[in-house]
Amino acid sequence: MTPPSNPSRRTDVLAGTLEMLVLRTLTLGSLHGYAIAQHLARISNSVLQVEQGSLYPALERLLRKGWVTARWAESPTKRQARYYTITAAGRKQLREKVSDYERVALAIARVMGRA
Amino acid sequence: MSLLDGLRHRLRVLLRGGRYTHEQQAELHFHLATEAMHGTHAGAAPDDAQYAARRRLGNVTAVREEMRRAAGIERFDRLRQDLTYAVRQLSRSPGFTIAVVLTLAFGIGANATMFAIVDRVLLRAPEGIADADRLVQLRSSHTLRSGKTRTQVSMSYPSYVEFRAMTDLFDRVTAIRGPTLVPIDRGADATRAQGSLVADDYFATLGVQPALGRFFTRDETHETGGAQVVVLGYGYWQRRFGGSRGALGETLIIANNRYTVIGVAPRGFAGNTLVATDLWIPIASAEGLRFGGANWALQRGATWLTVIARLRNGTTPERARAHATVAWTAWNVPSSRGVLDAQARVPALLLSSLVPGRSDARPEHEVAKLLAGVSLIVLAIACANVANLLLARALRRRRETAIRLALGVSRHRLIAMFLIDGLILGALGGAVALLVAYLGVPLVRTALFAGTAMAEWSLDRRLLAFTAFTALAAGTLSGILPALQASRPSLAGALREGAREGAVHRSRTRVALLVVQGALSVVLLAGTGLFVRSLQHIGALPLGLDLDRVIIAEVQRGGNGHTAEQTRALYDTMRERVRTLPGVESASLSVGVPFRGQYALPLTLPGHDSLPGMGRGWAPFLYAVTDDFLRTMGTRIVRGRGLEPADERGPLVAVVSTEMARVFWPGKDAIGQCFHIDEREMTAGCTQVIGVAEDARRETLLDPSTPMQYYLSLGQAPQMMRGDITLVIRAANPELIAPLASAIHHEVQSLRPDLPFVNVRALADVVAPELRPWRLGATMFGLFGALALLIAAIGTYSVMHFSVAQRFHELGVRIALGARRGDILRLVVGQALGVTIVAGAVGLAIVLAGGRLLRDLLFQTSPHDPIVLLVVAAVPFAVAALASFLPAWRATRVDPVTALRAD
C-alpha cells in the first residue's frame, strides 16, 4: 500500500461510475470485495479515490439488479470471503456504459479542443 | 436473465432476513482483517494496522446501514412483519377465515374445473398427434336456396381418393370411419370396443409411431387388400392383454372376422377424436361395418368417412382450401336426387382444425363455454362476498386503524396490509380450489363429455398456472375495496370519535356489494329456470311412444350363411325367452330401429305419377314388425285395426301414420286405400291400409317435422329388409328398465355360442345424448345458482348481523322509547329486503338484456319466459328474509339498559 502521491489531485468517483468500474474489474474473474478495492486503487494509480465504504453498498445494488452474483468461498488466506461474479446481463450493461462513456469523453475532449 | 438473477437475490434476502445482515457484517470483517494483515506484513504494528484499515473503510456503522438499505432489507422486514401480523389476525378468528377461504375456494374451484375441461376438450387437439396445427379435417358445406348452410362432416371414399391425389397441397391424406362400438368375440365372452376403420396412411398422417409391433402397410389398407390385421390402442392392450408383448400375433373376432394383432399404438394417443379408440382395422377388411354396399370404394352417394389431411409445407390452409374446392366442386355436381341435393346451391369445401373448440359447434361445446362464463359469475359473487366480510372486519378494527393512522403509519402501508389479507386468503382459497377442481373435473367431464379420452387427467401445469393467477386476482379484488375504504382519511377521522358516533356510518360500498351478489345470483337462477323450462317443454312434446318403458336389443349377426327361415326362428326363440322374463309386458321384433336406423323404399300410389308432398327420391319410413310392436312402443292405433299374427302370411296390409294418411289421401278415409312398394316383386300387388296409428318420433326427439311412416308385418317384409332384426321390449314399469336390461342381455347372449355382442339399451338412453345439453345446462346452472344463493345468503346474514351490532345503541333507544318487537323486526328485515329489491331489479335487467346469449341453447323457451322471471325474482326475497331473520330476532333482544350504558 503506497499512499497517494499527491492527495490534492485525487478525483471523487460518482456513484454510477463506481458501478461501471466494479463491473469492469469483475470481467477479470470472480473477486471478493477487498480485491476489487485493491484493483481499483492500483489501476487508477490511486488517482480515482474509491471510497471503500461506498464499494459495498454499490455491490448490493449490483446484486439487486442481477448484474453480479455472489457466493461464499475460501480465500487464499484460508478465510471465508464473499466472491462476486459478473453475469451476462452485467456484461451487457457494461458494454452499454462503456460506449456511453466513450461518446461523452470524446465530446468533452472536442469541447476542450484536444481532439 | 438479469431479472431472474436479481429476483433470486431479492428472494434470498427476503427469506434470510436478519441473517443476511450477518452476512454483510462478515464481509466487512473479512475486508478489515485482510487489510490489517497486509498492513502488518508491510511492517506496521497490529494495532496500528487495524486502526488504519478502519479509517480507510470509513464509518463502519454507517457503511452497514447503507448496505442494509441498498439490499432492501428494511422493505422486506416491513413486508415480513405485515405478513406475520396478517397470519396472526387470521388464525385468531378461524371461523371467519374458514368461511372466507371456502367461499373463495368454491369460486376459484368452479373456474379451475371449467378451465380444465375447456382447455382439454375444446382448446387442444386430441393428445399424441404430432404437429396438429398442420392437420385439417375436410368437410363440405352446401348453401341451400333458403339461404341456410348445411355442413356435412363426412365424405365418400372416391372423394378421399381424389384428395389423396392432390399431392401439391397435402403431404398425406387419410380417411377414418368411427370410432364406433364394434362387437368383439362371440357367445358368453362377447364384448364391445371402440373400433375405427382406417384407410392408407392413418398413423403416418397423424405422425404417430407404434409402441409395439408395427402399423399397417399400404397393401393391408388398400381398398382391394383388406388384410385382417388389427392395431390395438394402448389402454385396450393393457386391459385385454395385460400389456404383454405376447399380444402380437393373437387373434380377436371383430364383427364377422378374425383379426391378427400386429401392433400397439403409443400411450396417450387415443385416435383423431376425443373418444378413446380401442382398435383400428383396415376399411376393406371390415365386412358388415362398412357403408355403401359391395362397391363402397366407388360409391359417391355414400358419405361416411372422416377425411384428414396434413398440409404440405408452405401451403396455407386458405390456399389449400381454394385449390381443393375448385377440383372438388367439379366432381361433386349436385345430383337431382334427394331434397338436400336439389336445394343445394353452392357446395363448398371447408378445412377445419382438429382442435374441437375451433371447428365443431356442438351444443356441448356451447354449454361448456357458457358454463365457463357462469363460473366467472360465481367467482365474482364470491369476491364480492369476501370483500364484504373483509370490510366488516375492517370496520370492526376501526379503532386500531385510527391508532395506526394517528401514529403516522402511511396510507400506503395500510392499503398494503389489507391487500396482504386478501392475497393470503386468495392463496389459501386457491389451494383448496385445486382440491375442488380435482374432485369436480371428473364429475363435469362425465356429465358433459362422457367417453372422452381424458382418463389420465391430472393437475397439469396450465391448470396450476391458471389457478394461481385466478387466486391472485380474486385475492386482489377482494382486498382492494376494503383497503381503499378503511384507509380513507375522512373515515379515519370519523373513527377517532369513538364507537357510538362511528356507528351510524352506513357503508354504501357494502350495500353495493350485496346488490352485486344478489343481482348475479338472480342471473344464475334465471339460467337454471330457463334450462328447466326447456326440459319441461321437451317432456311435454307429443312423442307417440313411451320413452321410459322401452328397451331395445340389437343383435348384429350379419347374415353369415343362414336362411331367412333359420334367422327368423332364432329371433322368435329370443322373443319367447325374453317375453317370459318377469317384468316384461310385451316383446316384439322389428326391422328398422327407432332412433337407430330407418328404411325407406320407393312407393307408387295408383293414379299418381309422383308421391304427394315429397321431393323426388324420398319416401316414408317403414318398419317390418311383429303384431304387438306398436303396443310395445306405446304408439296408439287411432283408426282401424293394428297388425295381427295372421297378417304374417295373409294379403299384403299396412298400418300408416296419421301424417301419411293425411298427405297421401287428403280428405279421404285412408282405411281400404292401397299403395305399391316398388322393391317388391311386381306380382305381389297392392298393399292395403288396415289402420292408422298416431304420429311418433322416429329419427330424433326434437326434429320439429313429423315424418311419414308405415308398418308392415315382419312376414311380409320386402326382400332387402331380411337381415338383422331388433328386439323391442316393454317393461311393466319404468323402475324395471335397468334390471330388465341386464337380464335380457344375459338371456339373449347365452342363447347361442356364436352370437356377437348383444347391445341392450333403454330407449331413453338412446335419445339421452339429444337431451344432454339441456340436462347439463339445468344441472350446472342449478348447482352454480345454488352456490351463488348460499354465498349471497351468508353475505346478507353477515351484513345484517354486523348492521345490528352497529346499531346496538340506536335499537336500544328505540326499544326504550317503546318500539315493539314487530317494529324492530320490520326495521331490520325491511333493510335486507330493500337491498334485495334493488338486487332483483338489477338482476332482471341483466337477464332481459343478456338473454339473447342463451336463446340458441334453449328449447322452445323464450329467454324472457315470464314464469321463470317471476320465480327467479321471488327466490332471493325468501333467502333475504331467512338470512336476515336471525339478526333481526337478535335485534329485538337488545336490552335498552345495556345498550344505553355501553360507552
Side-chain angles (χ1 to χ4, degrees):
Chain A
M1 276 272 116
T2 44
S5 52
N6 190 346
S8 66
R9 289 197 54 197
R10 284 187 334 204
T11 312
D12 278 347
V13 175
L14 296 166
T17 320
L18 175 59
E19 289 180 11
M20 183 176 78
L21 294 177
V22 170
L23 286 178
R24 177 71 189 88
T25 308
L26 286 175
T27 56
L28 303 175
S30 296
L31 295 172
H32 50 69
Y34 181 72
I36 297 172
Q38 289 271 60
H39 179 83
L40 288 179
R42 198 163 48 236
I43 285 301
S44 70
N45 242 338
S46 296
V47 174
L48 294 178
Q49 174 69 17
V50 174
E51 182 81 49
Q52 284 186 349
S54 57
L55 172 66
Y56 289 97
L59 283 167
E60 288 291 347
R61 283 193 292 277
L62 290 174
L63 278 171
R64 276 171 70 80
K65 288 173 184 161
W67 293 342
V68 303
T69 56
R71 79 194 141 79
W72 286 90
E74 194 168 82
S75 74
T77 57
K78 302 283 173 207
R79 299 184 62 152
Q80 284 295 310
R82 202 170 186 212
Y83 280 82
Y84 295 88
T85 310
I86 188 167
T87 63
R91 284 177 198 279
K92 183 160 168 272
Q93 182 64 27
L94 179 62
R95 273 197 300 278
E96 284 167 14
K97 283 242 171 114
V98 167
S99 80
D100 280 353
Y101 165 77
E102 278 169 355
R103 262 206 322 279
V104 172
L106 188 66
I108 291 176
R110 280 209 182 113
V111 171
M112 305 303 277
R114 300 270 176 94
Chain B
M1 289 286 93
S2 83
L3 193 67
L4 215 65
D5 282 326
L7 280 181
R8 205 178 297 140
H9 177 73
R10 285 171 207 215
L11 192 67
R12 217 172 89 87
V13 174
L14 173 68
L15 293 179
R16 291 185 62 85
R19 273 171 299 161
Y20 190 76
T21 321
H22 290 303
E23 232 174 273
Q24 291 178 332
Q25 213 168 332
E27 187 174 25
L28 291 181
H29 266 300
F30 171 79
H31 179 101
L32 291 172
T34 315
E35 175 111 333
M37 191 179 72
H38 281 272
T40 42
H41 284 187
D47 280 358
D48 291 349
Q50 267 183 20
Y51 177 73
R54 275 178 189 281
R55 205 172 38 131
R56 285 169 58 82
L57 184 64
N59 182 340
V60 176
T61 319
V63 170
R64 251 163 49 190
E65 198 50 46
E66 202 178 328
M67 280 173 86
R68 269 174 65 87
R69 215 177 5 255
I73 290 176
E74 278 162 11
R75 214 174 323 154
F76 286 135
D77 271 351
R78 226 177 312 154
L79 185 62
R80 208 174 24 244
Q81 269 174 24
D82 289 350
L83 271 174
T84 328
Y85 178 75
V87 169
R88 208 183 301 137
Q89 287 294 325
L90 290 175
S91 56
R92 205 171 281 168
S93 45
F96 168 85
T97 307
I98 289 171
V100 167
V101 167
L102 282 183
T103 308
L104 283 176
F106 279 117
I108 300 169
N111 279 274
T113 303
M114 289 320 297
F115 174 82
I117 299 276
V118 168
D119 180 48
R120 186 66 210 94
V121 177
L122 296 181
L123 301 182
R124 279 193 261 181
E127 261 177 275
I129 295 176
D131 204 5
D133 287 343
R134 301 294 296 162
L135 288 177
V136 289
Q137 186 185 338
L138 303 172
R139 307 167 179 222
S140 63
S141 85
H142 305 262
T143 307
L144 304 180
R145 294 237 166 79
S146 61
K148 281 187 183 165
T149 304
R150 285 208 183 184
T151 304
Q152 193 165 8
V153 296
S154 49
M155 296 270 174
S156 68
Y157 196 85
S159 291
Y160 151 66
V161 173
E162 281 147 0
F163 289 126
R164 191 173 59 183
M166 298 181 184
T167 47
D168 55 328
L169 302 178
F170 307 122
D171 269 342
R172 291 173 196 279
V173 182
T174 192
I176 313 102
R177 167 73 185 175
T180 48
L181 285 168
V182 295
I184 308 280
D185 295 342
R186 294 290 161 86
D189 297 333
T191 55
R192 287 182 304 170
Q194 292 285 359
S196 283
L197 320 184
V198 298
D200 271 357
D201 273 353
Y202 175 75
F203 294 103
T205 306
L206 299 181
V208 179
Q209 298 298 322
L212 184 68
R214 62 177 180 86
F215 290 149
F216 306 119
T217 63
R218 288 259 161 122
D219 288 344
E220 286 168 340
T221 44
H222 197 259
E223 52 263 32
T224 57
Q228 304 205 324
V229 288
V230 56
V231 170
L232 303 180
Y234 194 90
Y236 192 68
W237 175 53
Q238 294 286 334
R239 289 199 301 278
R240 166 119 191 180
F241 295 101
S244 152
R245 299 184 70 88
L248 295 182
E250 290 281 320
T251 54
L252 280 179
I253 302 173
I254 303 169
N256 299 317
N257 291 314
R258 285 182 171 279
Y259 284 81
T260 307
V261 177
I262 57 163
V264 176
R267 183 179 195 151
F269 173 74
N272 53 294
T273 66
L274 286 171
V275 178
T277 309
D278 295 325
L279 41 91
W280 292 269
I281 55 178
I283 294 179
S285 74
E287 201 71 50
L289 299 173
R290 278 191 315 251
F291 277 64
N295 58 345
W296 56 276
L298 301 172
Q299 266 275 3
R300 243 177 223 294
T303 56
W304 53 291
L305 295 163
T306 302
V307 177
I308 293 177
R310 185 172 287 278
L311 292 172
R312 213 180 171 77
N313 265 346
T315 307
T316 61
E318 293 73 32
R319 194 179 99 86
R321 183 190 156 171
H323 284 242
T325 300
V326 173
W328 186 81
T329 330
W331 310 319
N332 291 272
V333 181
S335 69
S336 57
R337 290 199 68 205
V339 174
L340 186 89
D341 281 353
Q343 287 176 340
R345 200 172 57 190
V346 191
L349 198 62
L350 305 174
L351 303 187
S352 55
S353 159
L354 289 201
V355 177
R358 278 191 227 151
S359 51
D360 286 349
R362 285 166 53 193
E364 287 98 316
H365 296 170
E366 294 306 308
V367 172
K369 286 182 210 161
L370 187 69
L371 288 177
V374 167
S375 63
L376 269 182
I377 298 185
V378 173
L379 183 60
I381 294 175
C383 285
N385 198 43
V386 170
N388 224 338
L389 291 174
L390 285 177
L391 205 53
R393 200 174 64 137
L395 292 177
R396 225 175 297 139
R397 296 206 319 225
R398 59 193 182 273
R399 281 202 165 155
E400 182 194 318
T401 310
I403 291 169
R404 280 171 180 267
L405 279 172
L407 287 177
V409 172
S410 71
R411 181 160 185 237
H412 241 59
R413 185 151 180 215
L414 265 183
I415 291 178
M417 284 175 65
F418 279 104
L419 270 182
I420 284 173
D421 271 1
L423 286 176
I424 290 178
L425 290 168
L428 289 174
V432 183
L434 283 179
L435 187 70
V436 173
Y438 186 74
L439 300 173
V441 167
L443 285 178
V444 177
R445 194 195 66 209
T446 314
L448 202 53
F449 300 98
T452 53
M454 267 180 72
E456 291 179 36
W457 182 81
S458 60
L459 297 172
D460 63 1
R461 215 178 286 176
R462 281 159 72 120
L463 179 63
L464 285 179
F466 174 84
T467 310
F469 174 78
T470 315
L472 201 70
T476 312
L477 272 178
S478 315
I480 194 83
L481 258 184
L484 295 178
Q485 272 272 316
S487 63
R488 226 169 33 194
S490 60
L491 172 65
L495 291 178
R496 287 199 199 98
E497 296 162 15
R500 196 172 297 169
E501 284 80 4
V504 285
H505 173 82
R506 275 203 214 140
S507 167
R508 236 170 293 149
T509 317
R510 304 205 59 199
V511 173
L513 285 172
L514 268 191
V515 168
V516 168
Q517 279 181 52
L520 292 178
S521 312
V522 167
V523 171
L524 292 185
L525 286 177
T528 318
L530 292 173
F531 275 104
V532 169
R533 286 289 280 173
S534 292
L535 277 177
Q536 278 178 352
H537 286 148
I538 292 170
L541 285 176
L543 299 180
L545 47 84
D546 296 334
L547 262 191
D548 57 347
R549 295 278 288 273
V550 179
I551 298 172
I552 59 174
E554 296 168 276
V555 189
Q556 292 179 331
R557 294 184 69 235
N560 53 9
H562 301 279
T563 65
E565 286 71 27
Q566 284 172 322
T567 304
R568 179 66 198 270
L570 173 65
Y571 282 105
D572 277 335
T573 317
M574 290 182 193
R575 183 187 177 198
E576 285 316 312
R577 290 275 196 98
V578 167
R579 217 207 297 261
T580 55
L581 288 173
V584 171
E585 197 173 285
S586 66
S588 63
L589 301 177
S590 169
V591 175
V593 189
F595 303 110
R596 295 282 289 151
Q598 331 279 319
Y599 284 86
L601 298 178
L603 298 184
T604 323
L605 268 186
H608 285 78
D609 287 342
S610 65
L611 293 179
M614 305 216 115
R616 283 187 54 174
W618 286 79
F621 294 126
L622 82 147
Y623 300 86
V625 299
T626 52
D627 53 283
D628 50 0
F629 173 78
L630 287 177
R631 191 153 32 85
T632 306
M633 289 296 287
T635 306
R636 286 171 303 121
I637 300 286
V638 290
R639 283 181 52 71
R641 66 170 177 91
L643 294 165
E644 282 162 14
D647 292 326
E648 296 253 358
R649 323 187 172 1
L652 298 175
V653 291
V655 171
V656 301
S657 69
T658 308
E659 177 72 2
M660 179 165 163
R662 188 184 65 78
V663 174
F664 275 36
W665 302 283
K668 293 188 211 158
D669 187 357
I671 306 236
Q673 304 284 355
C674 86
F675 58 89
H676 286 282
I677 300 170
D678 295 359
E679 307 278 311
R680 276 182 166 157
E681 306 78 61
M682 288 313 286
T683 52
C686 194
T687 304
Q688 196 173 26
V689 177
I690 53 164
V692 178
E694 69 175 316
D695 288 320
R697 300 277 161 167
R698 284 296 181 262
E699 277 191 294
T700 70
L701 269 190
L702 308 177
D703 186 353
S705 67
T706 311
M708 290 189 251
Q709 44 201 318
Y710 60 102
Y711 309 89
L712 302 176
S713 186
L714 188 55
Q716 299 181 349
Q719 193 61 43
M720 72 169 296
M721 290 175 73
R722 305 243 164 102
D724 287 340
I725 303 177
T726 303
L727 277 97
V728 181
I729 302 111
R730 183 179 182 83
N733 66 61
E735 285 77 54
L736 287 174
I737 290 280
L740 258 186
S742 65
I744 291 168
H745 177 82
H746 183 255
E747 192 68 30
V748 176
Q749 189 78 68
S750 57
L751 199 61
R752 295 230 335 223
D754 67 341
L755 277 186
F757 187 83
V758 177
N759 189 9
V760 181
R761 293 205 285 170
L763 197 56
D765 291 342
V766 175
V767 300
E770 257 195 277
L771 300 181
R772 202 153 63 193
W774 292 280
R775 290 240 163 90
L776 195 78
T779 316
M780 294 303 289
F781 260 99
L783 209 67
F784 284 160
L787 197 62
L789 213 55
L790 181 72
I791 294 174
I794 294 174
T796 309
Y797 170 80
S798 79
V799 168
M800 295 320 296
H801 178 82
F802 179 71
S803 157
V804 165
Q806 234 184 357
R807 296 167 73 179
F808 196 56
H809 181 254
E810 173 205 333
L811 292 170
V813 172
R814 280 172 187 267
I815 291 172
L817 291 178
R820 270 170 312 190
R821 195 166 281 187
D823 300 331
I824 300 289
L825 270 179
R826 248 196 309 282
L827 189 75
V828 177
V829 176
Q831 190 189 345
L833 289 183
V835 171
T836 311
I837 290 175
V838 180
V842 173
L844 286 183
I846 296 177
V847 172
L848 288 176
R852 295 177 291 114
L853 294 174
L854 271 181
R855 192 162 48 203
D856 291 344
L857 293 168
L858 300 176
F859 184 79
Q860 294 181 4
T861 304
S862 155
H864 304 154
D865 188 290
I867 298 181
V868 168
L869 296 189
L870 215 66
V871 171
V872 156
V875 171
F877 276 98
V879 173
L882 270 177
S884 60
F885 184 76
L886 199 65
W889 185 76
R890 200 194 304 248
T892 63
R893 300 268 136 186
V894 169
D895 177 9
V897 180
T898 325
L900 292 172
R901 269 197 203 134
D903 71 345

